[in-house]
Amino acid sequence: MVTGQRGRPRSFDRDAALDKAMLAFWERGYEATSIADLTASLGIGAPSLYAAFGDKRKLFDEVVAVYGCRYGDFASVALAEEPTARAAVARILREAAEIYTDPAHPRGCMVISAAINTTSEEVAQALRERRNANLVMFESRIRADVATGALPADTDARALARYAGAVLQGMSQQSRDGASREELEAVAERALAAWPVA
């Protein structure tokens, strides 16, 4: 006798489900993405979603980790590979212009935009910490360049790091507002023109 089976279907693909959830959160943000949106996107029922991922917050945490590995690590890679902080920030801003406007996924940066209008302080704080970690990386690299003379001795490393972060965050929002890759590349070039010279 065949009985109805509840829970995840045997064909459940966790990675594919995380991809679909990531697109939903990226498009709508954390708060505006409901359990109903997620179950529709993933093609599973709410009990299966809870069985696979726990709750919405736990699913979001997993999604943020996947996003970071797939789309968000370009900044740390550039900082590690480029010879100077300026070269790294130039690469980061140019790559952001490309990634933020790629038609293959929602526009902008999920870590920047997902917490907009959220009432969950835990979610807002977790995303804030990720953004602030980028600022720490920027500042560290800038300080290293000051130490080697690649940047002037009086460079305010913290302010310059925050400036780079503000440009990056602004580019994310501009892309969501419809700015093209070329327009964002122009923003990147203008931002780099303000970079101090040794």
Side-chain angles (χ1 to χ4, degrees):
M1 180 171 137
V2 177
T3 60
Q5 188 176 13
R6 293 218 168 252
R8 293 191 314 255
R10 284 200 179 122
S11 61
F12 182 78
D13 182 334
R14 187 179 183 83
D15 291 337
L18 284 168
D19 286 345
K20 291 174 184 174
M22 177 176 60
L23 294 175
F25 283 123
W26 196 346
E27 181 67 39
R28 299 179 187 99
Y30 177 80
E31 192 76 20
T33 304
S34 67
I35 293 295
D37 293 330
L38 291 167
T39 57
S41 295
L42 277 58
I44 59 175
S48 295
L49 185 142
Y50 291 120
F53 299 106
D55 57 18
K56 177 180 168 181
R57 171 62 199 282
K58 289 177 184 165
L59 171 58
F60 183 70
D61 288 344
E62 281 195 57
V63 160
V64 170
V66 170
Y67 175 86
C69 292
R70 191 167 307 148
Y71 298 102
D73 66 350
F74 67 95
S76 58
V77 171
L79 287 165
E81 292 179 355
E82 295 299 328
T84 65
R86 186 192 190 284
V89 169
R91 177 173 160 185
I92 290 164
L93 296 180
R94 290 180 188 123
E95 288 181 2
E98 178 183 357
I99 293 166
Y100 292 172
T101 59
D102 187 338
H105 53 67
R107 288 179 158 251
C109 171
M110 190 185 79
V111 171
I112 292 171
S113 63
I116 293 173
N117 298 325
T118 186
T119 58
S120 169
E121 181 52 34
E122 293 91 8
V123 168
Q125 180 63 27
L127 294 175
R128 187 179 308 119
E129 287 171 4
R130 289 182 78 91
R131 292 190 301 270
N132 286 338
N134 278 341
L135 295 181
V136 169
M137 286 191 306
F138 290 171
E139 184 178 345
S140 175
R141 187 60 196 275
I142 291 164
R143 286 189 189 285
D145 278 10
V146 170
T148 64
L151 282 171
D154 63 349
T155 299
D156 184 335
R158 179 165 293 182
L160 190 54
R162 194 163 287 283
Y163 169 73
V167 173
L168 199 58
Q169 290 175 12
M171 287 173 65
S172 174
Q173 186 57 51
Q174 286 286 309
S175 72
R176 290 182 73 88
D177 289 344
S180 68
R181 175 179 174 175
E182 293 73 20
E183 288 170 326
L184 294 184
E185 286 172 342
V187 169
E189 293 310 313
R190 297 299 284 166
L192 291 167
W195 200 264
V197 178

